[in-house]
Amino acid sequence: MKTNDYVKYVTQQLVTYMDQPKEVKKAQRYQRKLERSPVVYQLFGVIPFAIMMLFKKKKM
């Protein structure tokens, strides 16, 4: 991909985003936030999940 193509693509994406109504942008941000994994998993990986599963198993 040449630089000119990349600039054209980024410009198109920016213009389409800016043309959207405010409510649509807000809904998209909220949806992305819901789909994101918890911060603990992002920072430390699967280890907190494994520890949580271990404690849940012991309680039963």
Side-chain angles (χ1 to χ4, degrees):
M1 184 179 248
K2 296 190 179 202
T3 307
N4 194 23
D5 295 336
Y6 183 70
V7 171
K8 184 177 179 182
Y9 171 75
V10 170
T11 306
Q12 287 175 347
Q13 294 298 315
L14 183 67
V15 169
T16 55
Y17 179 77
M18 291 178 69
D19 285 343
Q20 292 178 343
K22 189 176 184 180
E23 296 82 22
V24 174
K25 291 184 216 177
K26 198 171 200 176
Q28 285 177 346
R29 279 190 304 243
Y30 183 72
Q31 186 64 31
R32 273 187 268 135
K33 185 177 181 182
L34 291 177
E35 292 174 356
R36 201 169 36 196
S37 62
V39 176
V40 175
Y41 299 151
Q42 290 178 356
L43 294 177
F44 302 111
V46 184
I47 295 172
F49 179 73
I51 293 171
M52 181 180 67
M53 293 295 289
L54 182 67
F55 283 121
K56 280 187 177 180
K57 192 173 183 180
K58 284 185 178 182
K59 287 182 181 179
M60 293 181 159

